[in-house]
Amino acid sequence: MKETKISWKSCILNLDIAIAAAVLAILIVLTFAGVIWRYCLSQPFTWMEEAQLACMVWIVFSAAGAAFRLGNHVAIEMIVDMLPPFLQKVTQVFISAVVTAVLGYLFVHTLDFVEMFYNTGRSTSILKIPYWLIYGIAIPAYIDMLVSYFYSVFANVKSETKEAASSHE
């Protein structure tokens, strides 16, 4: 049996996946417990929806960078692949500019959004989880998405579909 060593570098580079996996595990346990309590013990958790909302937001934002890094976002590559190599490069630069602009726009507006929640002190009604804490994950997530996107571009990461198609050739 081959031993694999887990390096600190690997842990840091996959921190987004670890966070998403941990929060997903929490969500599954909470949801399962909620079903048991509701239907078997007739004691529903009144706070379950708030906890599930927070978990879903954290899962989506923390896993988004990994999706960029691993080439798992939906993309329509067929048209770009039909272009000549020069136009493929031009298209890639254009797509990179659009991705950067959109993530930058979302980042700036999310800062305002989270700051507003922080300044007003709004929180969920039952668990009193501050909304800035729930949605604050978006700020580092946008940075992670941008870094992961450019990593995937420079490392020439292929989407799973493209990878599967090229292995059958």
Side-chain angles (χ1 to χ4, degrees), residues 48-64:
M48 183 61 71
E49 186 177 343
E50 291 178 2
Q52 289 172 324
L53 167 78
C55 287
M56 289 298 292
V57 169
W58 272 67
I59 290 166
V60 167
F61 278 106
S62 59

Side-chain angles (χ1 to χ4, degrees), residues 50-149:
E50 291 178 2
Q52 289 172 324
L53 167 78
C55 287
M56 289 298 292
V57 169
W58 272 67
I59 290 166
V60 167
F61 278 106
S62 59
F68 271 114
R69 192 170 55 255
L70 300 172
N72 288 333
H73 274 296
V74 175
I76 302 172
E77 300 166 332
M78 183 176 70
I79 297 171
V80 176
D81 290 344
M82 291 177 5
L83 296 172
F86 172 74
L87 286 179
Q88 286 181 9
K89 290 190 186 294
V90 169
T91 304
Q92 183 62 50
V93 169
F94 175 73
I95 291 170
S96 295
V98 170
V99 168
T100 302
V102 168
L103 289 176
Y105 177 84
L106 291 172
F107 178 81
V108 168
H109 288 285
T110 300
L111 285 173
D112 295 337
F113 185 67
V114 171
E115 182 184 22
M116 184 258 313
F117 279 137
Y118 184 79
N119 290 336
T120 60
R122 282 193 59 198
S123 61
T124 60
S125 58
I126 298 170
L127 291 176
K128 303 296 183 204
I129 302 170
Y131 279 113
W132 68 264
L133 185 62
I134 294 172
Y135 295 107
I137 186 66
I139 295 169
Y142 289 131
I143 296 167
D144 182 32
M145 284 184 241
L146 192 62
V147 169
S148 295
Y149 172 74

